[in-house]
Amino acid sequence: CILLETCTHRTECQGCSSGPDNCKNVENTLLPQCTDYLILDSYTRNVIVPGGKQCEGYYCCDSVGGSHQTPDWAGPAWYRFSEPAGLKIAETAPGYTACGTAQSGYMVGGHPSVEDEEVFRTVYFDKNGDHFYNPLNISVINCHEY
């Protein structure tokens, strides 16, 4: 018998059963946030983009309706990073005016594993050398392949 934790992680056990002995008929179900999300793919988000006024002559900002709104931002929602923005949010401070914005952001606490499901992290922004400016609490999920 086996204890089926996931289709890729099994634990041998005696006298117990939590699922089939194989995963041929087990559907890998993703959390809704892994299929219903928006894409962050603006090149201005990439840590290799130098500071500068990349959004119509202004520093880019995730502010809905503003004249310098980042083109891929649509307000609070679940988002997935995609090229050319990069594949995930930075985990170290990129530096003041990096990523096409005046106050670049980065996440503290690391990215979760698949087993973690949803975790809560803090994003800080870099402003004039203050690497912990304007903390923002976010939720993060590891959606298997990405």
Side-chain angles (χ1 to χ4, degrees), residues 16-37:
C16 64
S17 178
S18 71
D21 62 356
N22 64 54
C23 292
K24 290 180 182 171
N25 295 320
V26 176
E27 182 180 326
N28 281 335
T29 57
L30 293 174
L31 297 168
Q33 301 91 321
C34 294
T35 58
D36 186 18
Y37 55 82

Side-chain angles (χ1 to χ4, degrees), residues 6-56:
T6 68
C7 286
T8 58
H9 187 231
R10 301 167 184 229
T11 303
E12 297 297 324
C13 59
Q14 290 184 328
C16 64
S17 178
S18 71
D21 62 356
N22 64 54
C23 292
K24 290 180 182 171
N25 295 320
V26 176
E27 182 180 326
N28 281 335
T29 57
L30 293 174
L31 297 168
Q33 301 91 321
C34 294
T35 58
D36 186 18
Y37 55 82
L38 301 174
I39 300 285
L40 293 175
D41 61 357
S42 173
Y43 77 94
T44 64
R45 294 184 182 281
N46 199 304
V47 295
I48 65 170
V49 172
K53 298 178 179 178
Q54 305 286 335
C55 291
E56 298 184 21

